[in-house]
Amino acid sequence: MRASPGARDNVRMRLLVVEDEPKMAELLSRALREESYAVDVAGRGEDALWMAGATPYDAIVLDVTLPGIDGLETCRRLRASGCWIPVLILTARDAVADRVAGLDTGADDYLTKPFSLSELLARLRALTRRVPQERPVDLRAGDLWLDPAAHRAWRGESELDLSAREFALLELFLRRPGQTLTRGQLLDGAWDMAYEARSNIVDVYVGYLRQKVDRPFGRASLETVRNVGYRLRSDGG
Ligand code: CA
């Protein structure tokens, strides 16, 4: 879904604004276009879902109150469909329950109406922040290596077929070879907030990763550090 960062460096960032009130939608899209974002507008959550499936937006600004499915349900369905475009929720109600609900759906951030334009822009910059323009260097431990820009990884000559989550985990390990990473660090680095409650998910995914980067090659690079977490051997196993 996501194009390689290198291919997009010169492309304007594209946002999807989901807001049913015409005045607010117009205000938002005009302000964002002035900041040189490309902006599409959807008035319904149902429309936002297919639009997000068809276009690799850099971020989605999603109002909670919509006709049909609301913003929270829209976000939930986006995530359920495997769409991980950053989502900024707009909520009119300054209620804690709403905020929690927003983040529980897999939203990345929220803003309470009324908000200032400068605050919205700052949040969007944070959500769409890219790695620096220069191509990141390959990460390597022995013959296990990963190209963050191309989003590809190899064991020796064999390219590894990793899910997005497995890739994120391997990248975390390869950024700190030889160091023990706690489950909390791995969760923070590779998962969204919504997953925090599932405490064994790190163990499950380290297991998946071993099946792909170690077992087929008769290696053992990912070591369990009892009661703490995991460590990637700096020699690649
Ligand atoms: Ca609305």
Side-chain angles (χ1 to χ4, degrees), residues 190-212:
W191 273 270
D192 302 271
M193 271 185 188
Y195 286 87
E196 270 178 39
R198 301 176 59 186
S199 59
N200 72 333
I201 193 125
V202 168
D203 307 289
V204 170
Y205 270 83
V206 168
Y208 293 159
L209 202 50
R210 282 174 169 152
Q211 295 287 355
K212 293 191 176 174

Side-chain angles (χ1 to χ4, degrees), residues 143-202:
D143 66 349
L144 182 60
W145 57 290
L146 175 152
D147 178 343
H151 214 74
R152 298 170 72 183
W154 292 264
R155 169 67 91 176
E157 300 289 303
S158 305
E159 182 159 5
L160 302 169
D161 181 20
L162 303 177
S163 71
R165 197 76 67 193
E166 292 160 354
F167 188 92
L169 260 189
L170 182 60
E171 182 171 347
L172 284 175
F173 282 118
L174 280 168
R175 287 190 184 281
R176 305 214 202 129
Q179 287 184 35
T180 299
L181 298 177
T182 65
R183 286 182 179 78
Q185 287 173 317
L186 294 167
L187 257 183
D188 284 347
W191 273 270
D192 302 271
M193 271 185 188
Y195 286 87
E196 270 178 39
R198 301 176 59 186
S199 59
N200 72 333
I201 193 125
V202 168

Side-chain angles (χ1 to χ4, degrees), residues 15 46-47 60 84 103 108 125 137 141 179 181 196 212:
L15 304 178
E46 290 87 343
D47 293 337
I60 299 174
W84 297 100
L103 298 175
D108 299 274
R125 274 195 298 275
V137 293
Q179 287 184 35
L181 298 177
E196 270 178 39
K212 293 191 176 174

Side-chain angles (χ1 to χ4, degrees), residues 18-21 63-67 113:
V18 190
E19 168 63 271
D20 59 309
E21 292 150 63
D63 191 38
V64 167
T65 50
L66 298 169
K113 289 178 178 177

Side-chain angles (χ1 to χ4, degrees), residues 60-94:
I60 299 174
V61 179
L62 182 57
D63 191 38
V64 167
T65 50
L66 298 169
I69 61 169
D70 70 7
L72 302 182
E73 180 59 21
T74 302
C75 188
R76 201 173 289 120
R77 290 193 195 178
L78 272 177
R79 297 316 188 216
S81 73
C83 172
W84 297 100
I85 296 170
V87 170
L88 174 65
I89 294 250
L90 302 180
T91 172
R93 293 162 292 184
D94 186 13

